Amino acid sequence: MTSEQALSISLGLQGPCVIARLTGDFDFGSAAEVRDRVTKALDLTQPPMLVIDMQAVSVCDSSGLSVLVYLHKAVTASGGRLLLSGLNGRCKHLFAITALDKFFDIRSTAELAIAELNEEGNSPPFTG
């Protein structure tokens, strides 16, 4: 028997990065809220730089995966980058069996992902 844990979303801005920290079950019941809130937060930076920290996600189902793919497409279409961090246990296994671990850029910790995107966001623009 499993117990459901409502998802909480913590959004923040660190340098040029939007950080979304998810805690609980990322499933059908929470997917639309994650999509809507994170999509609105992407307007804070241009191009959008997004870190989704999933360290405290206990369950991720196909609805959650669908939202992550949607966000990845939205970010990359705007010239930005999305990094996932903190995949563990069942979520890490799910990404491996669906081959999404090859589709997404995944870092072990949110701190590493944020540092990488902050470095990119603070680089001088290319002049050719």
Side-chain angles (χ1 to χ4, degrees):
M1 181 172 166
T2 61
S3 63
E4 290 189 27
Q5 183 181 1
L7 186 81
S8 67
I9 307 162
S10 170
L11 291 167
L13 193 60
Q14 188 171 337
C17 297
V18 173
I19 298 97
R21 296 184 192 273
L22 308 180
T23 302
D25 295 350
F26 188 14
D27 56 14
F28 180 77
S30 59
E33 182 183 3
V34 172
R35 183 192 64 233
D36 294 345
R37 289 186 58 195
V38 174
T39 299
K40 286 178 188 170
L42 293 178
D43 291 338
L44 297 172
T45 63
Q46 287 303 320
M49 301 291 207
L50 174 62
V51 173
I52 300 177
D53 182 16
M54 297 183 56
Q55 181 176 353
V57 171
S58 49
V59 172
C60 183
D61 70 6
S62 61
S63 299
L65 293 179
S66 177
V67 168
L68 294 175
V69 170
Y70 168 84
L71 292 169
H72 183 274
K73 288 180 179 181
V75 167
T76 56
S78 297
R81 281 193 69 205
L82 180 150
L83 297 178
L84 298 179
S85 67
L87 292 180
N88 55 46
R90 293 168 56 183
C91 290
K92 190 173 188 176
H93 179 70
L94 178 63
F95 275 73
I97 64 172
T98 58
L100 287 172
D101 59 344
K102 308 292 186 251
F103 178 76
F104 286 100
D105 287 331
I106 302 170
R107 302 298 176 265
S108 58
T109 67
E111 292 72 26
L112 287 173
I114 292 165
E116 182 176 328
L117 291 184
N118 278 334
E119 187 175 302
E120 285 181 25
N122 293 325
S123 298
F126 176 76
T127 55

